[in-house]
DNA sequence: CAAATTAGCTTAATCGATTTATTTTTATAT
DNA sequence: ATATAAAAATAAATCGATTAAGCTAATTTG
């Protein structure tokens, strides 16, 4: 009951394994193998359910039909949705996914890249932490296709799919200003990743335009949610004058709502809120919370399209694409959204 | 600048590749290779950063150091958290993860199992849909370790890690009864998976005990959330007499809250709610929603522990474990939780 | 001191495919 | 009938590791 190999097939049919291989790889015509033989082999293979050993195949051809997907944290709803969509599209195109969560940890990520190389993944989809420029550069130099998303490495010239982060927070902040809010804070994770810097800048630009002073809190990420909530609580206690806040990520936003619940701060009565990313938590909050919705499907679609294109052009040197998608400000809780002093 | 192979190392050091291989696999002592040579090889390998080609290694040894993880849907927070925890533990033990979402689709799952076999994964972690008994049976027959979680296949004798589903809903329903609710509904996805049947049974048992009649709505799963919300809305419109409801999964629960929002039904004023799974949506709802919290970390821990144990005992035939963990009923919104007619 | 061990390495087979180079068979032209 | 070209299939090399079996020189044993 052992697994069948191509030799078994060849022996059984009394042909050479070369012939079987050619037929199975659709090169029968090209190698002018007789139609009757092709038929006979195909039928038998079908009958016994033979499937080539993909390890052996990969070893010989150098292709593994696998894509490495590196997200920040697969349990974060944003990355989980993206992963799901990418998974679907990848499978449909004959690729499997190996994934991992980087935790934005540079050292861990470098090890993971090395692991992926080791496994000979054909292409890389990465939401990169800082500090992996050299490793990515090396991948590119070795002709391996890399697509980044959510953020990019400014010093590395590769394809990436992002959203218009700066405009998103700029627009959200302006929305608050137009509603009459005057003390608008910005709470985010401490990070110098491109998307974070841009979100911060968008907020600051909007405030500057209206000559308001920025009030920013950058929280150091921690696995333990308590360590996020505590400093945030301190921040809001200290800045009692704030009447609105923009949260830089869904995670910060969710924690923020928890803080407000604990402190008895009413949203949006006492504090207007806009969070990055739009999820059930924000939709179902009462009244619902305004949020910056990322076009998750579009992001995933673009990422996989760009990667597949690279995988299919062996030459490699197609020019790099930078795709910037638009977000959608979901304005909610409008009834009480207008600030009335 | 090509990738180094063991032959390159051997040639460079003017020893045979066998020797190099033995040394790298820690069999130097056993194969009585001189200490100085061991040192020389180790040092050189370190220096040039040589890493064995894992495909070749897997082809030869039959081990791929990969675990296949099959969840229902990686974008569902329950599965995403589990996946994250399993990923961490697996990496720590030298295993990589290939994952996929089954969508509870039998045919798709069978193809995915075949894909995993193809890639020679060493072990399987599966949240199984119905109808894959034969495939799993075959895996077991071929000596491949399989651990199931969240549910199991009654006809297949393999390890699994679950929670006490029946007691969980029984307990939740009794809680509602004790609070004075008299018309308690149960809304869930239509499914005959073990965990779903048990959850339903727990609800029915509790009602029977108090001689109440069950009011059940089973919704056919659909990728499009609208197709879940619509029938649910019809159900609640039809059963205006309901004063409480138990939701069978987090997804149904979230949709339920959306329905109540739309219909203007106050929770828990007009309708007391208990949902399976405990997530931010329920915690942050105002007032927060009572939920049945699964011990996600414990589940993941047990799953990976059982699997690793199986992977490390080549003989295979360790007796199967069925691990049943306890859930935690997170009682919330107590202030308005007591039903006062 | 010859025979038997043992230490220290190497040769060659193997895993299961793909692919290049080559041979055998058949058909066509001269 | 024979040389030549085309068609059909195969042998053998290769990918990069692991490992069983084998060889040589040094050491031990009787």
């Amino acid at each position: 009951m052992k697994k069948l190999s191509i030799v078994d097939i060849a022996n059984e049919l009394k042909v050479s394994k070369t012939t079987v291989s050619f037929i199975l790889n659709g090169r029968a015509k090209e190698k002018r193998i007789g139609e009757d033989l092709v038929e006979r082999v195909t039928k038998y293979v079908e009958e016994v359910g033979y499937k080539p050993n993909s390890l052996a195949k990969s070893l010989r051809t150098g292709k593994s039909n696998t894509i490495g997907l590196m997200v920040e944290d697969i349990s974060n709803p944003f990355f989980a949705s993206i992963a799901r969509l990418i998974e679907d599209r990848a499978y449909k195109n004959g690729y499997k996914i190996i994934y991992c969560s980087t935790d934005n940890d540079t050292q861990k990520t470098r090890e993971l890249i090395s692991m992926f190389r080791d496994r000979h993944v054909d292409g890389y989809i990465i939401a990169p932490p800082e500090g992996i420029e050299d490793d990515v550069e090396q991948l590119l130099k070795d002709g391996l296709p890399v697509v980044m998303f959510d953020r990019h490495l400014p010093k590395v010239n590769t394809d990436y799919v992002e959203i218009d982060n700066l405009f998103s927070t700029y627009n959200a902040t302006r929305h608050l200003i137009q509603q009459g809010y005057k003390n608008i804070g910005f709470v985010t994770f401490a990070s110098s990743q491109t998307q974070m810097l841009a979100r911060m800048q968008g907020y600051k630009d909007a405030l500057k335009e209206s000559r308001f002073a920025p009030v920013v809190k950058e929280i150091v990420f921690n696995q333990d949610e308590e360590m996020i909530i505590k400093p945030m609580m301190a921040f809001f206690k200290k800045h009692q004058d704030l009447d609105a806040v923009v949260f830089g990520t869904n995670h910060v936003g969710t924690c923020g709502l928890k803080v407000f619940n604990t402190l008895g701060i009413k949203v949006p009565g006492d504090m207007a809120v806009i969070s990055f990313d739009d999820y059930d938590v924000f939709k179902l909050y009462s009244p619902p919370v305004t949020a910056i919705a990322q076009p998750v499907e579009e992001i995933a679609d673009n990422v996989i399209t760009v990667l597949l294109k690279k995988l299919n052009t062996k030459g490699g040197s197609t020019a790099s694409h930078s795709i910037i998608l638009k977000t959608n400000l979901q304005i909610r809780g409008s009834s009480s959204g207008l600030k009335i002093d």
Side-chain angles (χ1 to χ4, degrees), chain A:
Chain A
M1 221 6 159
K2 247 184 44 197
K3 195 117 188 277
L4 289 171
S5 87
I6 197 171
V7 184
D8 301 322
I9 305 291
N11 287 343
E12 183 63 33
L13 294 175
K14 303 211 188 307
V15 294
S16 86
K17 57 178 181 168
T18 308
T19 310
V20 177
S21 176
F22 283 149
I23 293 176
L24 290 179
N25 289 297
R27 303 177 61 189
K29 277 265 142 48
E30 169 196 348
K31 295 292 176 180
R32 32 182 178 235
I33 291 166
E35 284 189 14
D36 41 348
L37 218 196
V38 171
E39 163 108 6
R40 205 152 62 86
V41 170
T42 319
K43 196 164 149 249
Y44 183 72
V45 163
E46 170 81 15
E47 199 178 303
V48 298
Y50 163 75
K51 286 187 140 202
N53 179 321
S54 56
L55 287 176
K57 194 167 188 160
S58 295
L59 176 59
R60 184 65 235 256
T61 61
K63 310 241 98 242
S64 66
N65 280 295
T66 306
I67 292 171
L69 172 62
M70 318 186 79
V71 298
E72 180 179 313
D73 175 3
I74 195 76
S75 69
N76 178 309
F78 170 69
F79 290 109
S81 333
I82 296 269
R84 175 59 205 272
L85 294 163
I86 287 183
E87 179 197 353
D88 280 350
R89 311 263 192 303
Y91 273 101
K92 260 175 210 139
N93 286 279
Y95 284 93
K96 287 122 224 153
I97 298 279
I98 307 188
Y99 77 97
C100 61
S101 305
T102 66
D103 286 326
N104 279 334
D105 177 326
T106 305
Q107 191 47 41
K108 184 179 177 194
T109 306
R110 303 182 68 176
E111 283 165 23
L112 289 168
I113 290 182
S114 157
M115 229 171 213
F116 278 4
R117 287 210 70 148
D118 203 55
R119 295 234 103 215
H120 293 237
V121 308
D122 295 333
Y124 295 74
I125 299 176
I126 312 181
E130 312 149 55
I132 62 161
E133 285 80 2
D134 292 350
D135 308 72
V136 174
E137 205 82 77
Q138 191 59 53
L139 290 178
L140 295 171
K141 198 176 292 171
D142 295 343
L144 293 163
V146 178
V147 179
M148 301 189 181
F149 76 102
D150 190 52
R151 53 198 98 159
H152 69 279
L153 302 171
K155 286 177 201 140
V156 180
N157 175 33
T158 182
D159 303 61
Y160 60 86
V161 178
E162 274 184 357
I163 51 160
D164 190 345
N165 286 289
L166 194 145
F167 179 77
S168 299
T169 44
Y170 168 78
N171 188 40
T173 310
R174 270 187 46 120
H175 173 74
L176 289 170
I177 293 172
Q178 281 164 7
Q179 301 256 310
Y181 294 98
K182 298 200 156 56
N183 295 294
I184 305 172
F186 184 67
V187 179
T188 188
F189 283 129
S191 162
S192 45
Q193 289 168 5
T194 54
Q195 88 283 23
M196 290 310 189
L197 295 180
R199 291 176 194 182
M200 172 87 82
Q201 198 56 50
Y203 158 79
K204 285 185 176 166
D205 285 0
L207 284 198
K208 196 170 195 178
E209 226 176 66
S210 301
R211 298 170 188 281
F212 287 137
V215 183
V216 169
K217 175 66 186 174
E218 292 185 84
I219 294 171
V220 175
F221 177 79
N222 196 297
Q223 196 61 41
D224 177 11
E225 207 162 74
E226 269 313 304
M227 300 304 289
I228 295 169
I229 288 183
K230 245 204 264 180
M232 206 185 294
M233 189 126 35
F235 170 77
F236 283 109
K237 273 185 187 158
K238 186 173 161 199
H239 294 273
Q240 304 259 357
D241 53 328
L242 288 182
D243 55 8
V245 62
V246 175
F247 288 114
T249 78
N250 65 53
H251 195 174
V252 181
T254 310
C255 290
L257 292 181
K258 288 182 184 170
V259 167
F260 296 150
N261 272 5
T262 312
L263 295 180
I265 294 176
K266 298 265 181 307
V267 176
D270 302 332
M271 178 81 69
V273 169
I274 298 185
S275 178
F276 225 95
D277 294 323
D278 191 21
Y279 290 103
D280 286 336
V281 180
F282 304 132
K283 290 180 195 157
L284 283 170
Y285 201 81
S286 46
V289 174
T290 299
I292 299 166
Q294 296 200 45
V296 190
E297 285 179 32
E298 260 189 274
I299 295 175
D301 266 340
N302 276 285
V303 165
I304 199 75
T305 305
V306 170
L307 186 63
L308 288 174
K309 194 179 293 169
K310 297 221 128 192
L311 284 168
N312 293 332
T313 55
K314 318 214 165 189
S317 64
T318 30
S320 310
H321 301 260
S322 311
I323 299 178
I324 314 288
L325 302 169
K326 299 240 167 302
T327 57
N328 211 321
L329 186 64
Q330 299 284 345
I331 299 172
R332 299 204 181 94
S334 54
S335 60
S336 36
L338 265 168
K339 165 117 188 191
I340 302 153
D341 283 287

